[in-house]
Amino acid sequence: MKNWVKSVRKWSRSIHRDLSFLFSGVLIVYALSGIVMNHKDSINPNYSVSREVYTVETQMPSLLKKADVLRILKEIGEEDNYTKHYFPEKNVMKVFLKGGSNLVVDVTSKKAVYEKVTRKPFFSAISRLHYNPGKWWTWFSDIFAGSLLVIILTGFLMVKGKKGFIGMGGIELAIGIAIPLIFLFFW
């Protein structure tokens, strides 16, 4: 019987170690994107927005057509990203650009506000994983979740005595289960 227990502990260590190393990278990606997702109100994981205020140099006729707007956009290097423009107020023109950027120009004073929207490639990509981007990710996530359970179970089997599952480890496990349940039901 003792040899069987030793053998189970030995295999538990190997499985625990190998799965832990294998899925540590996934946990790092999930942890980073999870932190950003938790703070979406102050950190936009998908886009970076910058604003620049300047004065338009280009002559502006009283009736602005697309060609005139393209000349204005050339000053900021956005002439190839023109989508459309309109006048939300009498002397204010708003120009929409590809990718979500825009330009608002007061045609009387020639004051302009350029709002540039830039995609954050790394964080926008990893944040998508929290929204289940496809069937393949569902399968991988299921394998990942099952492997986490195996890592947990093998961890229980590796440590024995007062520090193991029956001792302090069991108390820590109970606290770990209680924390999310308390937040779910009492906050």
Side-chain angles (χ1 to χ4, degrees):
M1 183 71 166
K2 275 193 172 209
N3 285 341
W4 182 82
V5 171
K6 276 187 173 180
S7 180
V8 167
R9 282 212 171 91
K10 180 183 174 194
W11 278 102
S12 291
R13 286 188 206 298
S14 296
I15 293 168
H16 186 86
R17 179 197 63 231
D18 293 342
L19 287 178
S20 293
F21 277 119
L22 178 65
F23 288 110
S24 288
V26 178
L27 286 171
I28 289 168
V29 169
Y30 258 127
L32 288 174
S33 60
I35 289 168
V36 173
M37 297 288 289
N38 283 342
H39 299 280
K40 277 198 294 190
D41 56 338
S42 59
I43 302 171
N44 185 333
N46 298 314
Y47 300 99
S48 180
V49 180
S50 62
R51 292 173 53 101
E52 179 186 334
V53 178
Y54 73 100
T55 304
V56 174
E57 300 293 325
T58 305
Q59 277 299 99
M60 289 196 280
S62 55
L63 181 62
L64 286 163
K65 296 186 176 168
K66 182 179 176 182
D68 302 312
V69 176
L70 291 175
R71 276 194 298 279
I72 294 169
L73 290 175
K74 192 169 188 166
E75 291 181 22
I76 56 173
E78 289 283 7
E79 67 275 12
D80 294 334
N81 293 322
Y82 172 87
T83 306
K84 67 179 181 175
H85 72 280
Y86 83 109
F87 290 84
E89 297 173 28
K90 184 179 177 195
N91 292 321
V92 177
M93 175 182 65
K94 184 164 187 173
V95 184
F96 294 98
L97 303 166
K98 294 175 187 169
S101 299
N102 68 74
L103 177 70
V104 177
V105 181
D106 181 322
V107 293
T108 346
S109 68
K110 294 176 112 179
K111 295 287 181 205
V113 178
Y114 172 47
E115 193 172 74
K116 183 172 183 163
V117 178
T118 312
R119 189 166 199 61
K120 293 179 181 174
F122 179 71
F123 281 113
S124 65
I126 65 175
S127 296
R128 268 189 65 226
L129 298 176
H130 289 273
Y131 298 112
N132 198 1
K135 196 171 193 164
W136 63 271
W137 187 251
T138 302
W139 283 100
F140 179 80
S141 294
D142 290 345
I143 292 166
F144 176 58
S147 296
L148 288 177
L149 291 172
V150 171
I151 290 169
I152 291 165
L153 293 174
T154 54
F156 290 161
L157 296 174
M158 287 182 351
V159 183
K160 59 183 177 179
K162 294 188 293 183
K163 294 181 181 177
F165 183 67
I166 304 296
M168 191 60 182
I171 294 168
E172 291 169 344
L173 173 66
I175 293 169
I177 291 171
I179 290 171
L181 295 178
I182 289 168
F183 274 98
L184 281 172
F185 295 113
F186 300 106
W187 265 287

